Amino acid sequence: MTTQTATRSKTYDMVYIAVFAVLIAICSWISIPTTVPFTLQTFAVFLAVGVLGGKRGSLSVLIYILLGAVGIPVFAGFSGGFGILLGSTGGYIIGFLFSALLMWGMEALLGKKTWVLGLSMVLGLIVCYAIGTVWFMAVYTKNSGPVGLAAVLSWCVIPFIIPDLIKIALALVLSKRFSVILKLN
């Protein structure tokens, strides 16, 4: 690979990473406000990793989180700032990064087969739910008093399961198509 080709490849990588960080932000703005807002963030996170692969997809998610942490309004409801990450729903945002990292790890271990991507998306969703739920319980308990796991699951997880599985299915289909079109995988 020549120096020019390597430079072009790195430039394309940076552009793709940035485009998908922006896509995650746009999908977070498409929101139905509830205790934990219904958004398309999970769809965009899974699409980013599915299309770009583990490393670039994880970097997109990290950049998205960092943009929000410094105050750029990329989170649901056009919000931003470190306080959002420390708030009751911040664990779900942090969970996106761990989802992406898990997907990257599974890709590294098992390859880029469709079933691996689908399984990694489902496991990534479970990781996001787990981190977000524990975080939500801790923040809620600190601010409002004790809350049971069943209550938090009924507010923050159960209503999202079917919509999130639909988002995974859509992300899986589109990931394979976009990967072929963009010749990334």
Coordinates of all heavy atoms in Angstrom, one line a residue, residues 108-147:
A108 N -14.1 -9.7 16.3 CA -12.7 -10.2 16.3 C -12.5 -11.7 16.5 O -11.7 -12.3 15.9 CB -11.9 -9.4 17.3
L109 N -13.4 -12.2 17.4 CA -13.3 -13.6 17.7 C -14.0 -14.5 16.7 O -13.5 -15.6 16.4 CB -13.9 -13.9 19.1 CG -13.2 -13.3 20.3 CD1 -14.0 -13.5 21.6 CD2 -11.9 -14.0 20.4
L110 N -15.1 -14.1 16.2 CA -15.9 -15.0 15.4 C -16.1 -14.6 13.9 O -16.7 -15.3 13.1 CB -17.3 -15.2 16.0 CG -17.3 -15.7 17.4 CD1 -18.7 -15.6 18.1 CD2 -16.8 -17.1 17.5
G111 N -15.6 -13.4 13.6 CA -15.7 -13.0 12.2 C -16.9 -12.1 11.9 O -17.6 -11.7 12.8
K112 N -17.1 -11.8 10.6 CA -18.1 -10.9 10.2 C -19.4 -11.5 9.6 O -20.1 -11.0 8.8 CB -17.6 -9.9 9.3 CG -16.4 -9.0 9.9 CD -15.9 -8.0 8.9 CE -14.8 -7.2 9.5 NZ -14.3 -6.2 8.7
K113 N -19.6 -12.8 10.0 CA -20.8 -13.5 9.5 C -22.1 -12.8 10.0 O -22.1 -12.2 11.1 CB -20.8 -14.9 9.9 CG -19.5 -15.7 9.4 CD -19.5 -17.1 10.1 CE -18.1 -17.6 10.2 NZ -17.3 -17.0 11.3
T114 N -23.1 -12.9 9.2 CA -24.4 -12.3 9.6 C -24.9 -12.8 11.0 O -25.4 -12.0 11.8 CB -25.5 -12.6 8.5 OG1 -25.0 -12.1 7.3 CG2 -26.8 -11.9 8.8
W115 N -24.8 -14.1 11.2 CA -25.3 -14.6 12.5 C -24.5 -14.0 13.7 O -25.1 -13.8 14.8 CB -25.4 -16.1 12.5 CG -24.1 -16.8 12.6 CD1 -23.3 -17.2 11.6 CD2 -23.3 -17.1 13.8 NE1 -22.1 -17.8 12.1 CE2 -22.1 -17.7 13.5 CE3 -23.6 -16.9 15.2 CZ2 -21.2 -18.2 14.4 CZ3 -22.7 -17.4 16.1 CH2 -21.5 -18.0 15.7
V116 N -23.2 -13.8 13.5 CA -22.4 -13.2 14.5 C -22.8 -11.8 14.8 O -22.9 -11.4 15.9 CB -20.9 -13.3 14.1 CG1 -20.0 -12.5 15.1 CG2 -20.4 -14.7 14.0
L117 N -23.0 -11.0 13.7 CA -23.5 -9.7 13.9 C -24.8 -9.6 14.6 O -25.0 -8.8 15.5 CB -23.5 -9.0 12.5 CG -23.9 -7.5 12.5 CD1 -23.0 -6.7 13.4 CD2 -24.0 -6.9 11.1
G118 N -25.7 -10.4 14.2 CA -27.1 -10.4 14.8 C -27.0 -10.8 16.3 O -27.6 -10.1 17.2
L119 N -26.2 -11.8 16.6 CA -26.0 -12.2 18.0 C -25.3 -11.1 18.8 O -25.7 -10.8 19.9 CB -25.2 -13.5 18.1 CG -25.0 -14.1 19.5 CD1 -26.3 -14.4 20.2 CD2 -24.1 -15.3 19.4
S120 N -24.3 -10.5 18.2 CA -23.6 -9.4 18.9 C -24.5 -8.2 19.2 O -24.4 -7.6 20.2 CB -22.3 -9.0 18.2 OG -22.6 -8.3 17.0
M121 N -25.4 -8.0 18.3 CA -26.4 -6.9 18.5 C -27.3 -7.2 19.7 O -27.5 -6.3 20.5 CB -27.2 -6.6 17.2 CG -26.4 -5.9 16.1 SD -27.5 -5.7 14.7 CE -26.3 -4.8 13.6
V122 N -27.8 -8.4 19.7 CA -28.7 -8.8 20.8 C -28.0 -8.7 22.1 O -28.5 -8.2 23.1 CB -29.3 -10.2 20.5 CG1 -30.1 -10.7 21.8 CG2 -30.3 -10.1 19.3
L123 N -26.8 -9.3 22.2 CA -26.0 -9.3 23.4 C -25.6 -7.9 23.8 O -25.5 -7.5 25.0 CB -24.7 -10.2 23.3 CG -25.0 -11.7 23.1 CD1 -23.7 -12.5 22.9 CD2 -25.8 -12.2 24.3
G124 N -25.3 -7.1 22.8 CA -25.0 -5.6 23.0 C -26.1 -4.9 23.6 O -26.0 -4.1 24.5
L125 N -27.3 -5.2 23.2 CA -28.5 -4.6 23.7 C -28.7 -5.0 25.2 O -29.0 -4.2 26.1 CB -29.8 -5.0 22.9 CG -31.1 -4.5 23.4 CD1 -31.1 -2.9 23.3 CD2 -32.2 -5.1 22.6
I126 N -28.4 -6.3 25.5 CA -28.5 -6.8 26.9 C -27.5 -6.0 27.8 O -27.8 -5.6 28.9 CB -28.4 -8.3 26.9 CG1 -29.6 -9.0 26.3 CG2 -28.2 -8.8 28.4 CD1 -29.4 -10.4 26.0
V127 N -26.3 -5.8 27.3 CA -25.3 -5.1 28.0 C -25.7 -3.7 28.3 O -25.6 -3.2 29.4 CB -23.9 -5.2 27.3 CG1 -23.0 -4.1 27.8 CG2 -23.3 -6.6 27.3
C128 N -26.3 -3.0 27.2 CA -26.7 -1.7 27.4 C -27.9 -1.6 28.4 O -27.9 -0.7 29.3 CB -27.2 -1.1 26.0 SG -27.7 0.6 26.1
Y129 N -28.8 -2.5 28.3 CA -29.9 -2.6 29.3 C -29.3 -2.7 30.7 O -29.8 -2.1 31.7 CB -30.8 -3.7 29.1 CG -31.8 -3.6 27.9 CD1 -32.4 -4.7 27.4 CD2 -32.2 -2.3 27.4 CE1 -33.4 -4.5 26.4 CE2 -33.1 -2.2 26.4 CZ -33.7 -3.3 25.9 OH -34.6 -3.2 24.9
A130 N -28.4 -3.7 30.9 CA -27.8 -3.9 32.2 C -27.1 -2.7 32.8 O -27.4 -2.3 34.0 CB -26.9 -5.1 32.2
I131 N -26.2 -2.1 32.1 CA -25.5 -1.0 32.5 C -26.5 0.2 32.8 O -26.4 0.8 33.9 CB -24.4 -0.5 31.5 CG1 -23.3 -1.6 31.5 CG2 -23.8 0.8 31.9 CD1 -22.3 -1.4 30.3
G132 N -27.4 0.4 31.9 CA -28.3 1.5 32.1 C -29.2 1.3 33.2 O -29.5 2.3 34.0
T133 N -29.7 0.1 33.5 CA -30.6 -0.2 34.6 C -29.9 0.0 35.9 O -30.5 0.6 36.8 CB -31.2 -1.6 34.4 OG1 -31.9 -1.6 33.1 CG2 -32.2 -1.9 35.5
V134 N -28.7 -0.5 36.0 CA -28.0 -0.4 37.3 C -27.7 1.1 37.6 O -27.9 1.6 38.7 CB -26.7 -1.2 37.3 CG1 -25.7 -0.8 38.4 CG2 -27.0 -2.7 37.2
W135 N -27.3 1.8 36.5 CA -27.0 3.3 36.7 C -28.3 4.0 37.1 O -28.3 4.8 38.0 CB -26.5 3.8 35.3 CG -26.0 5.2 35.3 CD1 -26.7 6.3 35.5 CD2 -24.6 5.5 35.1 NE1 -25.8 7.4 35.4 CE2 -24.6 6.9 35.1 CE3 -23.5 4.8 34.8 CZ2 -23.4 7.6 34.9 CZ3 -22.3 5.5 34.6 CH2 -22.3 6.9 34.7
F136 N -29.4 3.7 36.4 CA -30.7 4.4 36.7 C -31.1 4.1 38.1 O -31.5 5.1 38.8 CB -31.8 3.8 35.7 CG -33.1 4.5 35.9 CD1 -33.4 5.6 35.0 CD2 -34.0 4.2 36.8 CE1 -34.6 6.3 35.2 CE2 -35.3 4.8 37.0 CZ -35.6 5.9 36.1
M137 N -31.0 2.9 38.6 CA -31.4 2.6 40.0 C -30.5 3.3 41.0 O -31.0 3.9 42.0 CB -31.2 1.1 40.2 CG -32.3 0.2 39.6 SD -32.2 -1.5 40.0 CE -32.7 -1.5 41.7
A138 N -29.2 3.4 40.7 CA -28.3 4.1 41.6 C -28.7 5.6 41.7 O -28.8 6.2 42.8 CB -26.9 4.0 41.2
V139 N -28.8 6.3 40.5 CA -29.2 7.7 40.5 C -30.5 8.0 41.1 O -30.7 8.9 41.8 CB -29.0 8.2 39.0 CG1 -29.5 9.7 39.0 CG2 -27.6 8.1 38.6
Y140 N -31.5 7.1 40.7 CA -32.9 7.3 41.2 C -32.9 7.2 42.7 O -33.5 8.0 43.4 CB -33.8 6.3 40.5 CG -35.3 6.6 40.8 CD1 -36.0 7.4 40.0 CD2 -35.9 6.1 41.9 CE1 -37.4 7.7 40.2 CE2 -37.2 6.3 42.2 CZ -38.0 7.1 41.4 OH -39.3 7.4 41.6
T141 N -32.2 6.2 43.2 CA -32.2 5.9 44.7 C -31.6 7.1 45.4 O -32.0 7.6 46.4 CB -31.4 4.6 45.0 OG1 -32.2 3.5 44.4 CG2 -31.3 4.4 46.5
K142 N -30.5 7.6 44.8 CA -29.8 8.8 45.4 C -30.7 10.0 45.4 O -30.7 10.7 46.4 CB -28.5 9.1 44.7 CG -27.7 10.2 45.2 CD -26.5 10.5 44.4 CE -25.8 11.7 44.9 NZ -24.9 12.4 43.9
N143 N -31.4 10.2 44.4 CA -32.2 11.5 44.2 C -33.6 11.4 44.8 O -34.2 12.3 45.2 CB -32.3 11.9 42.8 CG -30.9 12.3 42.2 OD1 -30.0 12.7 42.9 ND2 -30.8 12.1 40.9
S144 N -34.2 10.2 44.7 CA -35.6 10.1 45.0 C -36.0 9.0 46.1 O -37.1 8.9 46.5 CB -36.4 9.8 43.8 OG -36.2 10.7 42.8
G145 N -35.0 8.2 46.5 CA -35.3 7.1 47.4 C -35.2 5.8 46.8 O -35.1 5.7 45.5
P146 N -35.3 4.7 47.6 CA -35.2 3.4 47.0 C -36.2 3.1 46.0 O -37.4 3.5 46.0 CB -35.4 2.5 48.3 CG -35.2 3.4 49.4 CD -35.5 4.8 49.0
V147 N -35.8 2.2 45.0 CA -36.7 1.8 44.0 C -36.4 0.3 43.7 O -35.2 -0.1 43.7 CB -36.6 2.6 42.7 CG1 -35.2 2.5 42.1 CG2 -37.7 2.3 41.7

